[in-house]
């Protein structure tokens, strides 16, 4: 029940992952930081999004922008939203594409079997990407043994859900298997006018015509008619004391007559595997995704004061909050394909697993947008205006291509394990911007090549202790131009990592320690030599010219532990120390400062115990604590913008009624509570005008039946 060594994760301690090597490699034998969150674990913890499923993992920061519209995940201090953001999400080994601005896909956790986290640069196998690492979502797939599940869930904040998950053989010989998973939900984010809805369905079919060939065809459809956006609020009244009183936790800073965000995404693809010979295996994974979204929102203006003057707010300053309406209509079509050839052979005493791959990604995206006027609202007595009539003033079209060729050799010699990999990428970004009022056209074409590589060494002692060391590099192409219209070069990263893994021989568990030094170069920083806001004159892609002389360094220590004291008592613990600094910048106020939203310390502990004897047999309890250290709310790290640390408690209670009476076998009731004590806190700030309250107490009751 506890161990999940294969691709399916029915237990809470996984021992194998593909994310770090694209081969089925034991985590204890991989010379890099890799961990897995199984479906059993994040299910018992009551996760309702991918980001919330990762909140007990070392090195991973979630919750800085609460809500389910976007899965905000930062790894080792890197992540984000918008143009040139370092997205970390992959789905079944293929990168999840992201649109130009706010058209970012979201995968429902009920469709996911497990989540694999690889920390550190991963370009050598995946191409351009986040230097901090990646999160690979592994889908539920058809299984040979028939099983069925239905569930319903209710909770506070208007939550109501229902879902189903069916799998099994279609034919009598189990050559054709199916899986059909679906979920629908209604909920809100705990503040006024934040109702959200979702429906998602994912069918898949696996065909195995012979022992050497497997083909799994997959599709998915997700519709979010409305996904609420976390309130954008100023620091004054949230993080800082406001003489007129603090902004209420349930205050809605947007406009209920205008604010809905809608998104529709659909995918179709397949995973193919064929054993050419006893030594060679060929795999091909392909996915096509279409996504369209309409973003309507109000946000605090980025420049100047967020507050109305006293004269325009009944004679009271710092009472009427300024917000600007915005409108984005976006869509993209994306194709990703990964071809792999894997073989095992020996050269003397040296055992090899050789992987050769060729992958390709294409993204065709469009964004049409416009901004409205700044309006003001009294946060103590809000009166919402009618829906604004926003004129769409611009359109951005973007086409991206990336082709990569990679080779990896995993070698073993007695207790030694080595890995050496290299990759060459060819990428292009064609970007065009049209002023819809004047017809003026501007844009840039970027062509890049990059070579990335990694090397790792591990020694596996007979007692289960395995020290390791590794080095890895990555790159990520940049959109936009600097002075003179020169296209930006890709950012590059390199990381040194040493660590120790321990898989006890007499205990079901996995313990990890990782120390790393990660540096990202070619980071954008303000161009102080060219300050004109006339983009036609400067050739820059933004009014404030930027240049690539910046650098960010992340150093830290990560400790992780997942183990079973008994078959019914599981523990998960994590601690993170991260020293993230801007080590090069043209803006002196940000030099040697920590980027916003990055904590120095994080820690978590989760325990789950199920009674297996006596009258309470089948009754389970879960309790967790999460500590998030203080973060900085502005780039200059001023004391007035320091976000305090906080501790949140989570709890669960679950009971399997099959222990009460065999006729109730498969029926289970669970109650989950996150932020059990309903702590009111500021989750993070990105500037004096962009602060976000954390999610309040959420309680859910789930009834499920499996047969």
């Amino acid at each position: 029940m506890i161990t999940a060594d294969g691709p399916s994760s029915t237990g809470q301690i996984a021992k194998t992952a593909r994310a770090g090597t694209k081969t089925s490699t034991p985590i204890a034998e991989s010379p890099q930081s890799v961990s897995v969150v199984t479906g059993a674990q994040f299910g018992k913890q009551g996760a309702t999004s991918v980001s919330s499923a990762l909140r007990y993992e070392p090195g991973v920061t979630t919750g800085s922008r609460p809500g389910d519209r976007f899965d905000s995940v930062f790894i080792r201090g890197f992540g984000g939203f918008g143009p040139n953001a370092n997205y970390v999400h992959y789905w079944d080994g293929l990168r999840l594409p992201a649109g130009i601005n706010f058209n970012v896909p979201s995968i429902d956790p009920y469709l996911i079997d497990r989540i694999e986290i690889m920390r550190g640069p991963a370009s050598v196998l995946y191409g351009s990407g986040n230097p901090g690492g990646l999160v690979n979502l592994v889908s539920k797939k058809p299984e040979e043994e028939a099983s069925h599940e239905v569930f319903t869930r209710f909770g506070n904040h208007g939550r109501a859900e229902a879902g189903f998950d069916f799998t099994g053989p279609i034919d009598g010989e189990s050559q054709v298997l199916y899986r059909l998973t679906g979920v629908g939900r209604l909920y809100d984010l705990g503040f006024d006018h934040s109702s959200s809805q979702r429906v998602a369905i994912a069918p898949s079919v696996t065909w195995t015509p012979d022992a050497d060939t497997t083909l799994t065809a997959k599709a998915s459809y997700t519709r979010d008619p409305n996904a609420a956006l976390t309130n954008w609020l100023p620091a004054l009244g949230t993080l800082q004391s406001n003489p007129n009183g603090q902004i209420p936790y349930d205050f809605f800073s947007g406009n209920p007559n205008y604010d809905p965000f809608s998104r529709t995404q659909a995918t179709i693809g397949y995973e193919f595997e064929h054993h050419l010979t006893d030594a060679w295996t060929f795999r091909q994974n392909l996915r096509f995704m279409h996504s369209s979204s309409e973003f309507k929102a109000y946000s605090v203006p980025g420049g100047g004061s967020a507050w109305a003057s006293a004269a325009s707010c009944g004679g009271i300053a710092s009472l009427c909050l300024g917000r600007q309406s915005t409108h984005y209509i976006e869509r993209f079509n994306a194709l990703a394909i990964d071809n792999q050839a894997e073989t095992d052979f020996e050269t003397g005493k040296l055992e090899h697993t050789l992987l050769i791959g060729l992958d390709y990604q294409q993204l065709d995206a469009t964004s049409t947008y416009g901004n409205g006027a700044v309006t003001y609202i009294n946060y103590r007595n809000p009166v919402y205006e009618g829906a604004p009539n926003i004129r769409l003033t611009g359109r951005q079209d973007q086409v991206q291509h990336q082709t990569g060729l990679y080779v990896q050799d995993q070698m073993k010699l007695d207790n030694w394990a080595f890995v050496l990999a290299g990759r060459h990428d060819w990428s292009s970004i064609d970007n065009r911007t049209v002023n819809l009022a004047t017809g003026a056209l501007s844009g840039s074409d970027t062509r890049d090549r990059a070579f990335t590589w990694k090397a790792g060494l591990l020694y596996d002692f007979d007692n289960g202790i395995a020290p390791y060391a590794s080095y890895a590099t990555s790159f990520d192409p940049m959109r936009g131009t600097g002075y003179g219209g020169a296209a930006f070069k890709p950012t590059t990263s390199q990381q040194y990592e040493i660590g120790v893994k321990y898989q006890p021989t007499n205990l079901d568990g996995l313990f990890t320690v990782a120390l790393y030094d990660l540096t990202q170069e070619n980071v954008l920083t303000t161009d102080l030599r060219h300050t004109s806001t006339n983009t036609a004159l400067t050739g820059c892609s933004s009014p404030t010219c930027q240049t690539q002389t910046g650098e960010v360094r992340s150093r830290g220590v990560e400790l992780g532990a997942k183990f079973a004291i008994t078959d019914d008592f599981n523990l998960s613990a994590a601690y993170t120390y991260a020293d993230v600094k801007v080590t090069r910048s043209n803006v002196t106020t940000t030099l040697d400062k920590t980027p916003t939203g990055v904590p120095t310390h994080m820690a978590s502990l989760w325990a789950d115990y199920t009674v297996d004897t006596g009258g309470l047999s089948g009754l389970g309890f879960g309790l967790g604590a999460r500590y998030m250290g203080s973060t900085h709310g502005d780039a200059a790290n001023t004391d007035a913008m320091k976000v305090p640390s906080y501790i949140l408690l989570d709890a669960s209670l679950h009971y399997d009624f099959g222990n009460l009476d065999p006729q109730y076998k498969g029926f289970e009731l669970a109650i989950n509570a996150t932020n059990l004590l309903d702590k009111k806190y500021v989750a993070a700030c990105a500037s004096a005008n962009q602060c976000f309250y954390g999610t309040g107490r959420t309680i859910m009751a789930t009834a499920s039946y499996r047969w």
Side-chain angles (χ1 to χ4, degrees), residues 477-552:
M478 300 290 287
R479 311 172 186 177
T481 55
Y483 182 72
F488 292 136
K489 299 181 295 183
T491 61
T492 59
S493 305
Q494 48 276 330
Q495 175 186 273
Y496 300 88
E497 179 175 308
I498 60 173
V500 178
K501 302 184 181 186
Y502 177 47
Q503 186 172 314
T505 57
N506 59 350
L507 178 70
D508 187 16
L510 184 63
F511 303 81
T512 59
V513 178
L515 295 83
Y516 66 91
D517 188 324
L518 171 61
T519 303
Q520 184 185 40
E521 299 171 330
N522 293 341
V523 178
L524 294 179
T525 181
T526 302
D527 186 347
L528 300 179
R529 295 178 56 192
H530 309 102
T531 58
S532 173
T533 58
N534 187 341
T535 56
L537 176 65
T538 64
C540 300
S541 56
S542 60
T544 301
C545 283
Q546 295 179 300
T547 186
Q548 292 185 275
T549 58
E551 181 182 271
V552 179

Side-chain angles (χ1 to χ4, degrees), residues 50 54 170 210 272 331 383 399 434 440 483 525 594 603 639 643 662 685 693 698:
V50 168
L54 300 171
I170 295 178
D210 54 55
F272 175 75
R331 63 93 182 148
V383 177
V399 178
V434 181
Y483 182 72
T525 181
T594 300
D639 291 340
V643 180
C685 293
Y693 278 136
T698 301

Side-chain angles (χ1 to χ4, degrees), residues 644-664:
S645 62
Y646 56 86
I647 297 176
L648 302 177
L649 299 181
D650 306 320
S652 72
L653 180 67
H654 48 89
Y655 182 66
D656 184 347
F657 282 83
N659 292 274
L660 182 65
D661 191 315
Q663 67 176 332
Y664 300 136

Side-chain angles (χ1 to χ4, degrees), residues 81-345:
F81 292 109
N84 292 323
N86 295 122
Y87 297 104
V88 304
H89 296 86
Y90 289 70
W91 190 12
D92 292 330
L94 300 175
R95 188 177 187 181
L96 270 176
I100 299 173
N101 292 291
F102 302 103
N103 189 11
V104 181
S106 174
I107 309 304
D108 197 273
Y110 192 63
L111 308 181
I112 302 303
D113 176 70
R114 58 193 248 156
I115 304 174
E116 301 175 340
I117 305 101
M118 176 186 172
R119 299 168 185 83
S123 285
V124 71
L125 293 179
Y126 296 93
S128 61
N130 187 313
L134 63 85
V135 170
N136 182 41
L137 314 178
V138 181
S139 298
K140 294 177 177 177
K141 293 182 175 63
E143 297 180 357
E144 187 171 346
E145 182 178 351
S147 66
H148 313 83
E149 177 188 72
V150 293
F151 83 91
T152 185
R153 176 180 295 153
F154 297 94
N156 63 336
H157 307 313
R159 181 172 291 272
E161 296 183 46
F164 59 87
D165 181 21
F166 301 156
T167 188
I170 295 178
D171 64 332
E173 298 179 353
S174 296
Q175 286 188 330
V176 182
L177 313 176
Y178 84 98
R179 190 146 194 169
L180 182 62
T181 307
V183 64
R185 65 170 57 98
L186 305 172
Y187 63 101
D188 65 54
L189 300 183
F191 55 87
D192 293 341
H193 309 295
S194 62
S195 61
S196 301
Q197 304 91 34
R198 164 172 286 183
V199 60
I201 190 168
S204 57
V205 176
T206 295
W207 177 45
T208 309
D210 54 55
D212 294 322
T213 307
T214 302
L215 174 66
T216 299
K218 304 178 296 181
S220 72
Y221 174 83
T222 301
R223 170 65 178 162
D224 296 303
N226 182 34
L229 177 68
T230 306
N231 273 323
W232 285 41
L233 299 171
L236 185 65
T238 55
L239 181 64
Q240 303 162 359
S241 177
N242 188 322
N244 300 301
Q246 297 303 94
I247 298 175
Y249 220 69
D250 58 0
F251 166 70
F252 180 51
S253 64
N255 183 346
N257 300 313
Y258 177 73
D259 257 0
F261 169 85
S262 63
R263 173 177 51 208
T264 302
Q265 63 188 46
T267 68
I268 187 169
Y270 61 81
E271 295 182 4
F272 175 75
E273 179 176 285
H274 180 65
H275 299 287
L276 300 171
T277 67
D278 290 341
W280 282 94
T281 299
F282 173 75
R283 288 187 291 270
Q284 185 179 79
N285 300 336
L286 179 146
R287 181 179 63 236
F288 174 81
M289 170 176 276
H290 170 80
S291 179
S292 60
S293 68
E294 185 171 14
F295 178 99
K296 294 180 178 180
Y298 277 64
S299 60
V300 179
S305 174
W307 302 95
S309 64
S312 61
C313 195
I316 304 176
S318 300
L319 179 60
C320 289
L321 178 66
R323 333 95 86 217
Q324 184 177 28
S325 55
T326 188
H327 190 186
Y328 283 80
I329 301 173
E330 300 189 73
R331 63 93 182 148
F332 71 69
N333 293 315
L335 175 69
I337 184 170
D338 186 15
N339 303 283
Q340 304 169 17
E342 180 182 335
T343 184
D344 297 319
F345 63 94

